[in-house]
């Protein structure tokens, strides 16, 4: 009798251990998909149960958003709006316009989704790069301004003035990260690393509960990362002139435009990395603050530190990190901590 009880207890333990191991194994099950979309290479890594279905849905979402937001893909919603100067934003992308407009207003127009005529003039859309004349640029700049666009928040109807054209390139990938993360969370996914061409969206931490390590590229040329962030459940987005640029007569021109001048933003910054809960916030501010410059960006963060954290790298190689990141950012470079 006693022996039977012991066997029973041992069996029960074995079953429990097996169940725990099986649970852990399914938790760590990993699936990765690569996709080229939005003019960039993306890699989505998802852990846990239901990864195949989650990835399938994610790929469809990316294509659907690309079909709406691309300014260069014939027949996209934005191409149609740019052509007809009117249209209606579907529920899915209206929040993207609204959030971008908020950042436009808060950063004195540094993020401006009407920048498309200037981006085209420099050849960044066609990859036939050229330096436009000052006259051409000042004519383009006169067309800019999200405040010139009529948007009805009730009907989502949008009307553009003559000559105005939209470009969602500065925010599309960040917003896509938000949409994917939400869809995956709805499916019960608890861990994922979504790499969307330089934009990173995390769901939770690694399957073992530890933070993900996200390297920040050295914008001043070195191949080793300038630092590594240990973070969970956030978006990490970097803007830097090095991402797309061309050289003419010894001068380098890059793709992030100061909407007030029409020229590539030219200040002491080499890159801006934003860490935020939402990808759209991270993507919007990374572009806006790159244009804003270091001093104004620091002052802005001190006023709005609840919105995001940031890593700034200047041309001299000094790294500035906002207070909320100082314990999770590892670097060998000169580090300046920006306190609130
Ligand atoms: P990002 O890499 O997120 O900083 O976005 C850069 C892209 O956004 C460029 O390739 C342009 O298509 C567009 N863009 C450039 N300058 C601006 C700006 N100041 N505001 C909004 N979009 C911009
Ligand atoms: Mg951006």
């Amino acid at each position: 009798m006693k022996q039977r009880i012991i066997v029973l207890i041992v069996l029960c333990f074995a079953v429990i251990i097996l169940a725990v191991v099986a649970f852990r194994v399914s938790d760590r099950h990993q699936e990765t998909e690569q996709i080229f979309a939005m003019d960039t290479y993306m890699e989505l890594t998802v852990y846990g149960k239901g990864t195949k279905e989650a990835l399938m849905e994610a790929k469809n979402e990316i294509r659907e958003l690309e079909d709406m937001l691309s300014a260069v893909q014939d027949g996209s919603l934005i191409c149609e709006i740019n052509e007809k100067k009117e249209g209606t934003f579907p529920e899915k992308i209206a929040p993207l316009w609204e959030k971008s407009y908020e950042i436009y207003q808060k950063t004195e127009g540094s993020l401006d989704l009407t920048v498309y005529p200037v981006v085209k003039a420099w050849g960044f859309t066609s990859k036939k790069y050229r330096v436009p004349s000052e006259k051409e640029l000042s004519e383009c700049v006169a067309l800019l301004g999200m405040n010139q666009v009529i948007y009805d928040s009730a009907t989502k109807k949008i009307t553009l003035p003559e000559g105005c054209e939209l470009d969602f390139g500065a925010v599309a990938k960040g917003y896509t990260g938000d949409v994917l993360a939400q869809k995956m969370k709805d499916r019960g996914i608890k861990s994922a690393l979504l790499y969307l061409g330089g934009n990173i969206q995390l769901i939770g931490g690694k399957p073992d509960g530890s933070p993900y390590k996200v390297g920040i590229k050295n914008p001043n040329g070195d191949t080793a990362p300038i630092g590594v962030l240990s973070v969970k459940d956030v978006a990490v987005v970097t803007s830097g002139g090095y991402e797309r640029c061309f050289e003419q007569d010894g001068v380098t021109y890059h793709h992030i435009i100061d909407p007030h001048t029409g020229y590539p933003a030219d200040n002491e910054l080499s890159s801006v990395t934003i860490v935020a809960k939402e990808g759209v916030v991270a993507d919007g501010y990374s572009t806006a603050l790159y244009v804003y410059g270091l001093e104004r960006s620091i002052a802005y963060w001190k006023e709005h530190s609840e919105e995001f954290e940031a890593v700034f790298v200047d041309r001299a190689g000094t790294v500035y990190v906002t207070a909320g990141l100082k314990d999770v950012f590892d670097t060998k470079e000169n580090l300046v901590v920006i306190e609130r």
Side-chain angles (χ1 to χ4, degrees):
M1 184 65 184
K2 207 173 163 188
Q3 242 176 351
R4 272 195 182 171
I5 291 175
I6 292 173
V7 170
L8 215 65
I9 291 173
V10 170
L11 267 175
C12 279
F13 269 115
V15 168
I16 290 170
I17 289 168
L18 270 176
V20 169
V21 169
F23 185 71
R24 279 283 168 91
V25 168
S26 82
D27 236 24
R28 285 175 194 202
H29 170 75
Q30 173 191 333
E31 197 104 12
T32 299
E33 278 279 355
Q34 285 147 6
I35 174 171
F36 190 85
M38 301 185 174
D39 201 23
T40 192
Y41 163 80
M42 301 182 174
E43 185 170 290
L44 316 176
T45 301
V46 184
Y47 296 91
K49 273 196 236 145
T51 50
K52 257 204 168 63
E53 297 76 7
L55 283 169
M56 187 100 81
E57 183 179 49
K59 280 170 86 170
N60 291 337
E61 284 292 335
I62 292 171
R63 292 287 176 221
E64 195 188 322
L65 283 163
E66 184 178 33
D67 288 347
M68 290 189 207
L69 296 175
S70 171
V72 290
Q73 185 177 302
D74 271 348
S76 77
L77 175 77
I78 295 306
C79 280
E80 264 179 36
I81 292 177
N82 283 346
E83 206 180 295
K84 295 184 183 148
K85 304 294 170 220
E86 60 174 25
T88 304
F89 285 146
E91 287 292 336
K92 197 165 198 165
I93 65 163
L96 175 57
W97 173 265
E98 288 165 16
K99 188 71 206 180
S100 303
Y101 190 64
E102 184 194 318
I103 298 175
Y104 164 81
Q105 285 185 305
K106 284 164 128 179
T107 61
E108 300 167 63
S110 294
L111 176 80
D112 188 342
L113 303 196
T114 66
V115 77
Y116 198 49
V118 180
V119 174
K120 268 200 306 193
W122 285 95
F124 284 113
T125 47
S126 58
K127 298 192 174 116
K128 290 184 184 125
Y129 303 119
R130 59 190 276 272
V131 179
S133 69
E134 267 181 43
K135 181 170 173 288
E136 186 181 352
L137 278 182
S138 65
E139 281 166 8
C140 288
V141 166
L143 303 168
L144 307 191
M146 286 177 87
N147 58 348
Q148 299 195 51
V149 173
I150 301 166
Y151 172 68
D152 183 335
S153 58
T155 61
K156 319 291 181 210
K157 199 173 164 348
I158 184 145
T159 312
L160 311 183
E162 209 35 57
C164 179
E165 287 179 290
L166 305 180
D167 175 1
F168 280 74
V171 286
K173 284 182 279 162
Y175 187 67
T176 301
D178 288 333
V179 173
L180 300 190
Q182 192 52 55
K183 293 273 174 193
M184 288 188 181
K185 284 179 182 173
D186 290 348
R187 285 178 168 274
I189 299 288
K190 294 198 170 49
S191 176
L193 191 158
L194 312 177
Y195 174 86
L196 308 169
N199 285 34
I200 286 173
Q201 181 84 39
L202 303 174
I203 299 179
K206 289 187 195 167
D208 66 3
S210 63
Y212 279 104
K213 304 267 185 213
V214 179
I216 297 180
K217 198 173 170 3
N218 186 333
N220 297 322
D222 212 344
T223 46
I226 202 152
V228 177
L229 285 163
S230 299
V231 280
K232 288 181 181 179
D233 214 26
V234 288
V236 181
V237 178
T238 300
S239 284
Y242 62 85
E243 290 171 321
R244 187 165 296 174
C245 53
F246 69 96
E247 206 184 292
Q248 189 170 308
D249 301 328
V251 182
T252 302
Y253 300 95
H254 65 75
H255 69 135
I256 305 175
I257 305 296
D258 181 341
H260 304 100
T261 64
Y263 283 90
D266 185 13
N267 53 52
E268 58 286 88
L269 286 173
S270 284
S271 76
V272 176
T273 299
I274 303 288
V275 179
K277 274 274 161 216
E278 286 180 273
V280 63
V281 170
D283 208 359
Y285 276 114
S286 68
T287 309
L289 299 192
Y290 187 85
V291 172
Y292 227 21
L294 183 61
E295 261 181 48
R296 282 201 293 171
S297 294
I298 291 174
Y300 185 89
W301 179 78
K302 288 186 182 200
E303 289 281 310
H304 301 86
S305 60
E306 72 296 344
E307 285 190 71
F308 59 84
E309 300 288 339
V311 181
F312 303 102
V313 184
D314 71 10
R315 289 181 183 173
T318 305
V319 183
Y320 301 77
V321 67
T322 55
L325 294 178
K326 74 174 171 205
D327 297 331
V328 296
F329 184 66
D330 189 21
T331 183
K332 293 190 180 73
E333 307 296 320
N334 290 335
L335 188 66
V336 178
V337 177
I338 305 163
E339 299 291 349
R340 281 184 183 85

